[in-house]
């Protein structure tokens, strides 16, 4: 199976020990998932679909993506635009994020409908998130959802993480409405209970699961931090306990790395409970390191077999 992740990758400026000196990296929810996928399943081709500019930082980003093993052949280059940027500020160990992404090329990723359709045609499993939708204008959202709908009709599998980010939307109502439209297009829904409870008033993870099932998803996996992961497929349902951790360093990309574990399992035909257990190990590793992209060591990979 070939996997396509669609979304925005940004330049990241992370603080170092030296005052006012930052270390540059590249990250973004859907890209983080692609990055973990390549490490977990090097035999699975993973491609990223986005738009970048034609400047030096955009080429640098593409270079880093390629070096990490993610295929960038489908990435669109938009002249006179650049990539989005965010800066991390540490205050007593708490990370806060400042973004400059209003004009990023990625906002135009769905403008070329043919390119989008072509990228999906080359793939078997297509993944995007609520953040992918949030950065697009209404026309771009329609184009993305329509392309996903056609791909699904053509037998591709569509995976979606709602990744609710109210500050990226004009209003909570716009966010919840668009998220449920995407839910109606996907086969595999990957919501996180805490966010869903806040914005959809779900009383418990079972209510979140049922809402995505009602929308039309046939596989639903509800993440819930350190609590058990709830799942349902067409013919099975259950929960998988999350292994307890002695310490949590940074929960950035917990959900993104978890999703990589699930998508790798779908690509290789693993039973879902096994994939969830593997996803929990991967996410457990990600939250014990700093930043979004925490390299996997061989013992973890062996442990994930
Ligand atoms: P998101 O990052 O999307 O909000 P969650 O916080 O629900 O997602 O976490 C995703 C996964 O990361 C969980 O299902 C679990 O496997 C792992 N995880 C997150 N927080 C913890 C924790 N405190 N202890 C152990 N595992 C965790």
């Amino acid at each position: 199976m070939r996997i396509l992740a669609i979304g925005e990758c940004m330049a990241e400026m992370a603080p170092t020990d030296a005052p006012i000196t930052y270390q540059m990296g590249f990250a973004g929810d859907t890209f983080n998932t692609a990055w973990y996928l390549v490490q977990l399943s090097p035999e699975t081709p993973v491609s990223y679909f986005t738009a970048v500019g034609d400047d030096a930082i955009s080429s640098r980003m593409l270079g880093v993506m390629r070096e990490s093993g993610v295929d960038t052949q489908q990435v669109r280059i938009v002249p006179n635009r650049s990539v989005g940027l965010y800066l991390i500020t540490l205050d007593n160990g708490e990370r806060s994020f400042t973004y400059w992404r209003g004009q990023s090329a990625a906002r135009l990723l769905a403008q070329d409908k043919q390119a989008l359709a072509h990228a999906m045609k080359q793939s078997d499993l297509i993944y995007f998130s609520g953040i992918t939708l949030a950065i697009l204008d209404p026309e771009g959202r329609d184009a993305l959802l329509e392309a996903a709908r056609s791909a699904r009709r053509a037998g591709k599998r569509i995976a979606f993480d709602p990744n609710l980010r109210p500050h990226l939307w004009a209003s909570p109502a716009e966010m919840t409405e668009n998220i449920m439209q995407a839910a109606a297009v996907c086969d595999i829904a990957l919501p996180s209970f805490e966010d869903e409870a806040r914005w959809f008033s779900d009383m418990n993870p079972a209510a979140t699961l049922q809402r995505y099932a009602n929308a039309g998803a046939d596989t639903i996996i509800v993440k819930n931090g350190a609590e058990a992961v709830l799942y349902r497929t067409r013919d099975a349902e259950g929960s998988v306990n999350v292994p307890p951790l002695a310490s949590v360093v940074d929960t950035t990309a917990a959900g993104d790395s978890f999703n990589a574990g699930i998508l790798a399992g779908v690509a290789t035909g693993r039973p879902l409970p096994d994939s969830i257990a593997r996803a929990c190990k991967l996410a457990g590793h990600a939250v014990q390191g700093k930043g979004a992209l925490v390299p996997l060591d061989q013992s973890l990979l062996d442990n994930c077999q």
Side-chain angles (χ1 to χ4, degrees), residues 161 163 192-195 223-227 229 242-245 248 251 253-256 258 279-281 283-284 287:
D161 184 334
N163 247 337
S192 293
F193 174 64
E194 203 183 326
D195 293 345
K223 295 163 265 179
N224 190 11
E227 303 297 314
V229 177
V242 172
L245 298 175
V248 172
T251 58
D256 305 336
F258 179 97
C280 289
K281 282 184 200 157
V287 302

Side-chain angles (χ1 to χ4, degrees), residues 159-296:
F160 174 65
D161 184 334
N163 247 337
L164 304 174
R165 295 289 185 279
H167 62 271
L168 291 177
W169 296 91
S171 66
E174 187 194 45
M175 174 176 76
T176 50
E177 205 176 290
N178 277 279
I179 293 298
M180 292 320 287
Q181 277 181 27
V185 171
C186 72
D187 298 288
I188 304 165
L190 297 154
S192 293
F193 174 64
E194 203 183 326
D195 293 345
E196 302 286 324
R198 171 136 190 233
W199 298 104
F200 286 97
S201 307
D202 296 337
M203 295 299 285
N204 48 43
T208 302
L209 189 149
Q210 192 58 49
R211 185 164 45 76
Y212 283 94
N214 292 346
D218 61 35
T219 299
I220 303 112
I221 299 158
V222 185
K223 295 163 265 179
N224 190 11
E227 303 297 314
V229 177
L230 202 61
Y231 70 89
R232 185 191 291 174
T233 63
R234 277 184 186 208
D235 36 42
E237 61 184 317
S239 66
V240 175
N241 288 331
V242 172
L245 298 175
S247 69
V248 172
V249 174
D250 176 359
T251 58
T252 308
D256 305 336
S257 54
F258 179 97
N259 294 349
I262 299 298
L263 299 183
V266 172
T268 52
R270 267 173 199 263
L272 188 58
D274 284 4
S275 294
I276 295 174
R278 203 168 176 232
C280 289
K281 282 184 200 157
L282 188 59
H285 168 79
V287 302
Q288 287 180 92
K290 269 195 198 160
L293 308 178
V294 181
L296 314 188

Side-chain angles (χ1 to χ4, degrees), residues 59-76:
S59 329
R60 183 94 173 263
M61 177 187 278
L62 290 181
V64 168
M65 284 180 177
R66 281 193 289 266
E67 275 161 32
S68 72
V70 174
D71 178 29
T72 60
Q73 282 184 52
Q74 313 282 355
V75 174
R76 286 187 64 212

Side-chain angles (χ1 to χ4, degrees), residues 25-255:
F26 296 100
D29 68 333
T30 46
F31 176 69
N32 302 342
T33 299
W35 187 90
Y36 279 106
L37 258 170
V38 166
Q39 296 204 44
L40 193 59
S41 260
E43 71 286 358
T44 303
V46 180
S47 182
Y48 197 59
F49 187 88
T50 189
V52 300
D54 55 354
D55 57 350
I57 182 91
S58 297
S59 329
R60 183 94 173 263
M61 177 187 278
L62 290 181
V64 168
M65 284 180 177
R66 281 193 289 266
E67 275 161 32
S68 72
V70 174
D71 178 29
T72 60
Q73 282 184 52
Q74 313 282 355
V75 174
R76 286 187 64 212
I77 311 276
V78 182
N80 302 318
R81 286 262 180 159
S82 189
V83 298
L85 169 78
Y86 67 95
L87 185 132
I88 303 169
T89 308
L90 274 181
D91 190 12
N92 284 330
E94 275 294 303
R95 289 155 65 98
S96 67
F97 298 83
T98 309
Y99 291 91
W100 295 266
R101 69 197 300 194
Q103 285 299 307
S104 75
R107 292 190 175 251
L108 308 177
L109 69 83
Q111 235 180 15
D112 184 342
K113 293 181 188 166
Q114 266 188 330
L116 194 55
H118 178 74
M120 290 193 184
K121 213 170 162 190
Q122 309 292 308
S123 321
D124 305 293
L125 174 58
I126 296 154
Y127 170 66
F128 63 96
S129 76
I131 297 179
T132 312
L133 286 178
I135 61 165
L136 303 177
D137 62 16
E139 204 185 316
R141 280 175 210 145
D142 286 349
L144 177 61
L145 293 186
E146 189 43 46
R149 228 173 264 124
S150 311
R152 193 182 187 192
R153 276 197 297 269
K156 320 278 182 191
R157 300 200 75 191
I158 313 292
F160 174 65
D161 184 334
N163 247 337
L164 304 174
R165 295 289 185 279
H167 62 271
L168 291 177
W169 296 91
S171 66
E174 187 194 45
M175 174 176 76
T176 50
E177 205 176 290
N178 277 279
I179 293 298
M180 292 320 287
Q181 277 181 27
V185 171
C186 72
D187 298 288
I188 304 165
L190 297 154
S192 293
F193 174 64
E194 203 183 326
D195 293 345
E196 302 286 324
R198 171 136 190 233
W199 298 104
F200 286 97
S201 307
D202 296 337
M203 295 299 285
N204 48 43
T208 302
L209 189 149
Q210 192 58 49
R211 185 164 45 76
Y212 283 94
N214 292 346
D218 61 35
T219 299
I220 303 112
I221 299 158
V222 185
K223 295 163 265 179
N224 190 11
E227 303 297 314
V229 177
L230 202 61
Y231 70 89
R232 185 191 291 174
T233 63
R234 277 184 186 208
D235 36 42
E237 61 184 317
S239 66
V240 175
N241 288 331
V242 172
L245 298 175
S247 69
V248 172
V249 174
D250 176 359
T251 58
T252 308

